[in-house]
Amino acid sequence: MLIAIDGPAASGKGTIARRLAAHFGLPHLDTGLLYRATARALLDQGSKLDDVGNAVSAARGLALLDFEEDRLRGREMGEAASVVAAIPEVRAALIDMQRAFASRPQGAVLDGRDIGTVIAPKADVKIFVTASPEARAQRRALELRGRGEKVDYPAILDDIRKRDTRDSERADAPLRPADDAKILDTTDLNIEAAFAAALEIVDRAEAAT
């Protein structure tokens, strides 16, 4: 079973994807980490985020799942990843890596922004997780506070909106629901309710096959 989870920043898609993967015993890939790791590599070497040549080299040099996640989280890295992800050559460099993960014989769960539309258009289940910008900003603020980072809610909300615009308006693989994706709005749902709703979507899809 291949499950594709897409959605904007802080919608809850990553948590839902991890919970579904654990529930069904499937491998999970947070594809956003690929772009964060690419951005991290550029920053570490002092390169500009829009340096296409260095960005492609960094993307091609990634070892799948071999990430120092602590260095890839946080508001700065989310913004940096969004800039790198808008580079078509970077997306092209990472697409085969993601598709190889999605083609594992036992199935997989992938979450990102173009899983159901580009990476795995034939996925068995596609879920587009969304929530209001305000709700997502509040969640991100709580996450950052929990990490001991300084929280500026208006700035976080502004970042969320800028990322939404950049992700949805980029020319290559823009953020949008696949035509056959089920929309899951988590604005008024806690994680348990959101997971239960996602699990129901998967169970219905399985029952229909």
Side-chain angles (χ1 to χ4, degrees):
M1 179 168 57
L2 178 58
I3 303 174
I5 312 287
D6 289 305
S11 59
K13 66 182 183 298
T15 302
I16 289 172
R18 288 190 294 273
R19 292 281 297 270
L20 288 174
H23 180 83
F24 290 107
L26 296 171
H28 166 245
L29 177 63
D30 174 353
T31 64
L33 288 179
L34 300 175
Y35 296 97
R36 286 174 179 256
T38 299
R40 181 76 269 171
L42 290 172
L43 294 173
D44 286 349
Q45 66 189 32
S47 295
K48 294 182 178 179
L49 293 173
D50 58 359
D51 184 325
V52 176
N54 282 339
V56 171
S57 295
R60 288 176 175 166
L62 295 180
L64 190 62
L65 301 182
D66 185 21
F67 302 127
E68 295 179 61
E69 288 200 33
D70 287 346
R71 301 189 69 232
L72 302 182
R73 299 298 182 185
R75 178 179 156 196
E76 174 197 3
M77 290 312 304
E79 181 70 12
S82 182
V83 173
V84 169
I87 301 174
E89 293 87 348
V90 170
R91 303 196 73 83
L94 294 174
I95 194 169
D96 287 342
M97 187 184 300
Q98 296 173 74
R99 284 179 173 165
F101 192 95
S103 65
R104 293 185 174 200
Q106 73 270 43
V109 180
L110 288 82
D111 71 86
R113 285 169 173 75
D114 64 347
I115 309 304
T117 55
V118 175
I119 302 302
K122 295 184 178 180
D124 301 294
V125 185
K126 299 177 188 177
I127 304 175
F128 190 88
V129 184
T130 189
S132 71
E134 293 77 12
R136 291 186 284 128
Q138 183 63 38
R139 292 170 187 169
R140 183 53 48 84
L142 290 173
E143 175 189 341
L144 295 176
R145 186 176 290 116
R147 291 168 53 85
E149 296 188 31
K150 183 179 179 180
V151 171
D152 181 342
Y153 176 81
I156 293 171
L157 179 57
D158 186 57
D159 282 351
I160 290 281
R161 287 172 169 158
K162 285 180 178 177
R163 288 187 65 185
D164 287 351
T165 298
R166 185 185 297 120
D167 292 346
S168 61
E169 294 183 357
R170 67 190 179 210
D172 189 40
L175 170 67
R176 66 172 182 84
D179 292 339
D180 54 347
K182 300 297 184 182
I183 308 299
L184 175 53
D185 190 327
T186 65
T187 299
D188 298 316
L189 302 179
N190 62 26
I191 186 54
E192 294 301 329
F195 170 66
L199 184 58
E200 184 178 359
I201 291 172
V202 176
D203 287 342
R204 285 181 178 177
E206 277 197 300
T209 58

